Amino acid sequence: MSEKNFPGPIQIPLATAEVWEKRYEDDTTIETPENKVKSFLIPRESLEKVLALDTDAVRAYIGINDQKEKTLLFVGAQYDKETGKYVDVYGHLSSEQNKSDAAGDIVYDGARPSPPY
């Protein structure tokens, strides 16, 4: 993806995000100075969407997307007084937004690694 097309899709189905997280967990690639990610370029819209969930916090998961780029996946996090832990809160894609799939949970992406972006 070129910077001209930044950010690209920011709403990622939860099932896709889980695949990307697993891909990162299973990654055994050795980072070198040439391929080491130093930062992420994050679209403002991704942050606004996750903040609109009105949760106590935001959690960022690391994943590897379909372009083999490291990415950040944002979800809301709400403190559960009963368990004493933060639980993930996902956005929801209504059936009007995506006529081809049933409504479902989504996370927010669009982050691009730097380098190269």
Side-chain angles (χ1 to χ4, degrees):
M1 177 179 291
S2 72
E3 287 192 31
K4 181 178 179 182
N5 297 325
F6 177 77
I10 67 162
Q11 295 182 354
I12 307 298
L14 178 57
T16 300
E18 289 170 341
V19 169
W20 292 3
E21 289 172 42
K22 177 83 169 108
R23 200 177 284 159
Y24 177 75
E25 288 175 19
D26 295 344
D27 183 36
T28 58
T29 305
I30 307 268
E31 286 190 333
T32 65
E34 293 80 30
N35 71 1
K36 186 176 191 176
V37 174
K38 297 176 182 159
S39 66
F40 288 89
L41 182 62
I42 303 167
R44 179 185 185 108
E45 184 180 3
S46 291
L47 297 176
E48 289 172 345
K49 294 271 188 188
V50 76
L51 291 174
L53 295 173
D54 197 27
T55 56
D56 295 330
V58 174
R59 191 184 317 271
Y61 288 93
I62 302 171
I64 297 178
N65 63 23
D66 295 338
Q67 289 75 43
K68 310 273 189 277
E69 300 170 329
K70 288 184 182 170
T71 191
L72 297 176
L73 302 160
F74 300 104
V75 299
Q78 189 68 35
Y79 186 72
D80 182 335
K81 291 178 184 176
E82 288 184 26
T83 64
K85 296 180 180 181
Y86 283 88
V87 294
D88 289 346
V89 176
Y90 304 103
H92 299 285
L93 188 63
S94 71
S95 54
E96 286 109 32
Q97 289 174 295
N98 189 355
K99 305 241 186 247
S100 64
D101 293 325
D105 291 338
I106 57 171
V107 302
Y108 300 99
D109 179 34
R112 294 294 170 254
S114 177
Y117 298 96

